[in-house]
Amino acid sequence: MARSSQTCHSAEHFVDRRAFLSAGAAFVGGVSALNPLATPALAKDMARKQKRVLMIFLNGGMSQFESWDPKPGTATGGPFQSIQSSIPGYRVSELMPKMAACLHKHTAVIRSQLASGDHNDFTIFGGKPRTGPVRYPSLGPMLARELADPKSPVPYHVMFTNYLGANFFENAGFLGTIWDPINITPESVPAKPPFSVAGSKHRLAPPANKLPDSLTDQDHREREALRAELAKRFGTGRERDGVLLSHGGAYGRVRGLMESAKLFDIEQESKSTRDKYGSTPFGEQALVARRLIEAGVPYVRVNRGWWDHHGQNFEFHQEMVPELDHILSVLLDDLKDRGLLDDTLVVTFSEMGRTPGINNNNGRDHFARMSVTLSGCGVKPGVVHGSTTADGGNIAKDPVSLQQFFATVMKAVGIDHQKEITNSDGRPVPLTDYGTEPVAAVLA
Amino acid sequence: MNAQPKKDPPPAAPVVDVKLVREVGVGCDLLAVAGIPGTAKAFAGGTDGKIYLIDFDEAKPNPVTWAAHTGYVSGLALAGKYLVSGGSDHQLIWWDAETREKVRGLETHDKKWVRSVAASPDGKLVASAGDDMVGRLWDATSGKLIHELKGHDKLTPYQLASKLYCVRFSPDGKHLATGDQTGTAVVWDAAGGKEVGRVRAPNLYTSDTNGHTYGGIRALAFSPDGTRLALAGNIAGDTSTITNSKALVQAFDWKAGKMTQDIPVKVNAFFEAVAFHPKEPWLFAATGAGEGKKVVILDVEKASVLQEITSNTPLFDVALNAVGDTLVAVGRKKAFCWRLTRRDPQ
């Protein structure tokens, strides 16, 4: 079984992680020293070495017709026009003018992505069964595990939801809960006027980044010392037990999170940067995501929902696609300007696609074909892979399975997609199915 | 004592006898209609980019069509000898209504969707509404831009792009009104292009159970005396599937800025088009996207449903002729013409 020294995730490394956190906190009081953004040299060092993935997940399923694969002038095309992108011969929806102008710089588009056509966690689990004795992990925990630096004080895996998304969470399965995301769920948007984004307090930071008032920092550390002592003998001979490792690492995660609190604070950014991202929940979450990536969080997922437009598809997409267009283009520019894009893969991935047919509610229904994009690290920019038929009813060329897509993402960030990992029964399981080939055409 | 459950009011006696003149099938959805005065003909705009000329007096109508836009044809108005069409291709196009030849085409509204087109009653002015959130007033003959009507917010309160769905003139032609996604309608002085009134429909823009934050004034109409403004759309329930929602009309004394009638209708659909009867306080409201498939006749004064005309297909626009005895409606792959005969009051 292949294992790299950097990503073996042995129990020893988790001990190192705790020791590092403990020492850091003891010597310098924690926060500033464990905030990599406050230490430019450390941030630059991370930028050079560590690969990261920033996933923009489109909950509910964005329409490929109103975004990356428009079919104007056809019965299924909808009202919107297409515009020429910066990739010769490739047109995108008029709702995406900003990405249209910069696609050639960093981005590859896959128009022939196969997906699930239903809301059942299928897509982000790559088609693996969600029931049965073996609980397979979703994409995020696998990436987090392979990319994480065990000595890093920052979280391994952070996920923002936006209005909705509870049904579409990542799950680490047999990898152990240490690779599960720290979920940051906003308060609901106001249901009645007056509407105020500023007043809606969409949450940008996890609630657990502060101790409750009833618990002092010393209490917290003493409790962990007691827990570790009691767990020590119990853990003997169980070093590969994912659940046990996760449990043991929880303290370190919490301490790391508390001491990373500033990473979640967009007030640390200049006003001009905040203005670029905008004041929508999605924009502010994307900005925090960039901060987390910059600080070395290996996998960050920002969910933008809700795209499941069985009714009023065009009205919703006219509102939401330009927001995605804006934020994605700003994010790529920002990552590039900070020297991070060469080591950060930005993915836009949809839960599913939308049907060519337009129903009586002026909606589009679920469809198991969609378009996705890859930008930055390991990507050959300016490539448009695959195509669909004239009415968008099927894949015309180069279909890409979910497993292939996962393999492509992994390959882009330097992960061996055929690497075997061990499940809780000790059985080797490859990251992607045996024989899966990444999409070479979109890889640098 | 337990509260008695609310009972629906008994159905009102029909106010008109309705006779279907013709039902015409076409190959696409029809989004806009403009009747030709004094005839049983109408122009209709299609999602296929074509304009359809339909003669409902023909036993088997075979519409004359021509390619007009490269997107949806979403607005149509007859202004004197000109037919003016607006589309999702950002174009506003003048046609000779007789010969159907193109007179001029303008790329306008900042390259955004031209949602709605209206003509003043005397045919001298044309108004357009588009998703740049600006209404525009044009000289119908020369095509010259007379006024830009700026007063709608470009962004919704959620900082997302808003939409300007509709524009209509008052019956005397002195005013026109525009309605946007957030439920705001602005009344303008047609001569000077100045804002003279503004109302906010409290329930036409809200947040649904899935966090969708949209809605909008999908259609509007001035009452025959010009004092009331009826705004139409939907109370969001779950707007992604348009279930558990109600079609809604809210009427305003627009000079006072005060809502006078709130008329929710129990149908899971949007009211996509409205037209007042020229003499009665009756509003003909067409249910589009959703489960409606009918024209609902509302008594705006009494805030009640008078009658329904079934179409069995979603409808996207309606037009009544000048005397109120012919109703044309267009929708999902169909166009309808009904003759209306007023019933004597009991």
Side-chain angles (χ1 to χ4, degrees):
Chain A
M1 186 175 69
R3 272 198 183 276
S4 73
S5 59
Q6 189 185 354
T7 55
C8 70
H9 311 293
S10 66
E12 288 76 11
H13 278 162
F14 295 121
V15 172
D16 286 350
R17 176 177 163 78
R18 286 197 294 272
F20 176 82
L21 288 169
S22 179
F27 279 104
V28 296
V31 178
S32 61
L34 290 174
N35 178 5
L37 299 188
T39 313
L42 180 56
K44 279 185 182 174
D45 189 48
M46 284 179 165
R48 278 198 301 273
K49 290 178 180 172
Q50 192 195 358
K51 308 295 185 190
R52 283 143 290 192
V53 177
L54 199 166
M55 162 80 78
I56 295 175
F57 190 84
L58 305 170
N59 300 61
M62 181 176 74
S63 168
Q64 65 280 16
F65 293 95
E66 278 68 60
S67 54
W68 304 112
D69 195 14
K71 304 288 183 184
T74 68
T76 56
F80 301 112
Q81 308 294 292
S82 67
I83 54 174
Q84 178 61 49
S85 77
S86 60
I87 301 174
Y90 176 52
R91 299 178 73 85
V92 298
S93 168
E94 65 174 323
L95 301 176
M96 310 193 85
K98 293 175 182 174
M99 284 306 299
C102 68
L103 269 179
H104 69 290
K105 291 183 187 171
H106 317 298
T107 303
V109 181
I110 297 175
R111 291 186 296 190
S112 50
Q113 181 66 53
L114 304 171
S116 164
D118 203 358
H119 306 294
N120 57 7
D121 285 359
F122 184 102
T123 304
I124 202 64
F125 286 83
K128 295 291 189 185
R130 297 287 296 122
T131 56
V134 178
R135 305 308 299 262
Y136 288 95
S138 57
L139 178 62
M142 287 193 284
L143 293 174
R145 182 179 186 273
E146 297 306 313
L147 297 175
D149 175 358
K151 292 183 178 177
S152 169
V154 296
Y156 300 140
H157 182 179
V158 177
M159 181 163 84
F160 294 92
T161 63
N162 192 323
Y163 307 143
L164 275 185
N167 295 331
F168 311 100
F169 282 180
E170 305 270 2
N171 191 295
F174 63 71
L175 295 181
T177 56
I178 193 170
W179 305 110
D180 273 338
I182 293 166
N183 289 312
I184 301 172
T185 305
E187 295 167 16
S188 62
V189 293
K192 295 284 181 187
F195 303 106
S196 168
V197 170
S200 66
K201 294 188 184 300
H202 40 279
R203 189 179 292 155
L204 297 174
N209 66 353
K210 280 193 275 186
L211 289 175
D213 292 340
S214 58
L215 193 64
T216 67
D217 187 73
Q218 187 178 346
D219 288 341
H220 193 232
R221 291 180 190 280
E222 286 174 356
R223 285 185 184 192
E224 166 55 14
L226 178 60
R227 188 209 62 78
E229 183 61 30
L230 293 173
K232 195 173 176 182
R233 271 179 286 175
F234 183 74
T236 304
R238 296 181 171 91
E239 288 81 3
R240 287 199 313 185
D241 186 322
V243 173
L244 196 63
L245 284 175
S246 298
H247 198 67
Y251 172 81
R253 295 181 78 202
V254 169
R255 294 304 308 188
L257 191 60
M258 291 192 310
E259 287 153 4
S260 304
K262 282 195 174 181
L263 295 179
F264 296 90
D265 181 8
I266 59 171
E267 296 297 320
Q268 304 294 317
E269 295 286 331
S270 68
K271 184 174 183 304
S272 66
T273 299
R274 296 200 307 271
D275 288 347
K276 279 181 191 169
Y277 280 84
S279 58
T280 64
F282 182 27
E284 294 192 344
Q285 289 170 352
L287 177 53
V288 177
R290 192 274 287 154
R291 288 178 60 76
L292 295 172
I293 288 289
E294 191 170 20
V297 177
Y299 182 73
V300 183
R301 173 171 151 181
V302 179
N303 290 292
R304 175 58 169 125
W306 178 239
W307 297 85
D308 193 26
H309 300 152
H310 295 283
Q312 301 290 292
N313 176 76
F314 307 112
E315 308 307 313
F316 284 126
H317 275 74
Q318 192 177 353
E319 192 169 274
M320 294 169 71
V321 176
E323 185 198 29
L324 172 66
D325 178 54
H326 172 75
I327 289 169
L328 182 57
S329 60
V330 167
L331 185 61
L332 294 177
D333 280 348
D334 197 8
L335 289 168
K336 180 68 179 173
D337 291 347
R338 290 167 185 272
L340 294 164
L341 194 55
D342 287 346
D343 294 302
T344 304
L345 176 66
V346 179
V347 180
T348 64
F349 192 62
S350 186
E351 190 191 346
M352 61 185 74
R354 313 302 308 177
T355 52
I358 299 163
N359 64 28
N360 275 352
N361 293 332
N362 281 343
R364 295 190 192 269
D365 299 313
H366 299 173
F367 199 49
R369 315 273 186 275
M370 63 183 185
S371 299
V372 298
T373 68
L374 300 162
S375 305
C377 179
V379 173
K380 187 176 181 182
V383 172
V384 180
H385 183 76
S387 62
T388 53
T389 53
D391 67 353
N394 215 330
I395 305 295
K397 191 181 171 195
D398 296 333
V400 175
S401 70
L402 285 169
Q403 285 291 301
Q404 276 185 284
F405 179 75
F406 284 16
T408 307
V409 168
M410 291 175 187
K411 183 85 173 172
V413 291
I415 298 170
D416 174 5
H417 65 282
Q418 295 284 266
K419 175 182 169 182
E420 290 177 334
I421 51 179
T422 308
N423 73 12
S424 50
D425 296 330
R427 194 163 64 90
V429 178
L431 289 174
T432 59
D433 291 347
Y434 292 116
T436 302
E437 289 294 331
V439 181
V442 301
L443 293 168
Chain B
M1 191 175 73
N2 291 335
Q4 293 295 314
K6 258 190 171 179
K7 287 183 180 173
D8 292 338
V15 290
V16 290
D17 287 321
V18 179
K19 183 186 174 191
L20 178 67
V21 176
R22 212 70 66 199
E23 177 180 323
V24 181
V26 296
C28 69
D29 292 355
L30 299 173
L31 302 181
V33 67
I36 302 176
T39 74
K41 297 178 183 176
F43 293 105
T47 54
D48 61 356
K50 293 177 182 172
I51 296 177
Y52 291 69
L53 173 57
I54 305 169
D55 185 348
F56 292 101
D57 271 345
E58 290 180 352
K60 291 185 178 177
N62 185 22
V64 174
T65 68
W66 71 96
H69 290 261
T70 58
Y72 286 6
V73 183
S74 44
L76 277 179
L78 261 175
K81 62 181 285 194
Y82 300 108
L83 173 70
V84 184
S85 62
S88 66
D89 60 353
H90 332 132
Q91 297 283 324
L92 191 65
I93 303 177
W94 271 253
W95 308 91
D96 183 316
E98 192 68 37
T99 65
R100 300 186 296 279
E101 289 176 354
K102 185 174 179 177
V103 176
R104 74 179 61 83
L106 303 173
E107 185 171 62
T108 182
H109 286 280
D110 196 23
K111 297 185 180 179
K112 299 283 172 57
W113 188 342
V114 183
R115 293 271 187 172
S116 179
V117 182
S120 62
D122 63 6
K124 292 181 178 176
L125 297 173
V126 168
S128 58
D131 286 344
D132 62 341
M133 304 308 290
V134 177
R136 284 179 172 77
L137 207 49
W138 310 83
D139 182 286
T141 303
S142 69
K144 183 184 169 192
L145 178 65
I146 300 172
H147 294 298
E148 287 190 333
L149 311 174
K150 295 181 178 176
H152 291 275
D153 292 336
K154 288 191 182 296
L155 299 178
T156 69
Y158 290 94
Q159 307 301 303
L160 300 173
S162 190
K163 307 173 188 82
L164 193 61
Y165 281 118
C166 47
V167 59
R168 286 293 180 268
F169 282 91
S170 62
D172 63 6
K174 291 181 178 174
H175 300 103
L176 69 159
T178 46
D180 73 20
Q181 180 185 1
T182 65
T184 298
V186 179
V187 181
W188 311 86
D189 166 34
K194 302 291 184 195
E195 179 178 330
V196 293
R198 174 180 290 261
V199 296
R200 171 83 194 272
N203 300 111
L204 286 176
Y205 180 67
T206 184
S207 170
D208 75 3
T209 52
N210 274 335
H212 290 115
T213 52
Y214 91 117
I217 300 169
R218 300 303 177 91
L220 57 79
F222 285 93
S223 61
D225 66 3
T227 62
R228 300 286 170 81
L229 189 61
L231 310 179
N234 173 274
I235 306 172
D238 178 348
T239 36
S240 69
T241 51
I242 317 184
T243 54
N244 303 316
S245 62
K246 289 190 177 75
L248 177 67
V249 168
Q250 294 184 317
F252 291 80
D253 176 341
W254 62 266
K255 284 185 180 170
K258 181 182 168 190
M259 188 167 79
T260 53
Q261 282 88 15
D262 181 29
I263 319 172
V265 176
K266 282 187 177 176
V267 53
N268 292 328
F270 276 80
F271 280 139
E272 305 252 13
V274 288
F276 264 104
H277 190 278
K279 296 171 185 169
E280 306 287 350
W282 303 341
L283 187 73
F284 291 72
T287 57
E291 300 168 355
K293 304 175 184 176
K294 58 192 171 187
V295 177
V296 181
I297 307 175
L298 304 168
D299 184 324
V300 173
E301 292 296 335
K302 295 176 181 170
S304 62
V305 174
L306 294 172
Q307 193 172 340
E308 295 179 349
I309 303 171
T310 301
S311 60
N312 290 321
T313 196
L315 298 173
F316 302 125
D317 201 6
V318 291
L320 267 169
N321 67 349
V323 293
D325 67 0
T326 302
L327 175 68
V328 175
V330 296
R332 172 143 275 206
K333 299 187 176 181
K334 282 185 179 173
F336 301 86
C337 178
W338 292 283
R339 292 265 191 261
L340 312 176
T341 307
R342 194 189 199 293
R343 286 190 172 186
D344 290 332
Q346 297 294 317

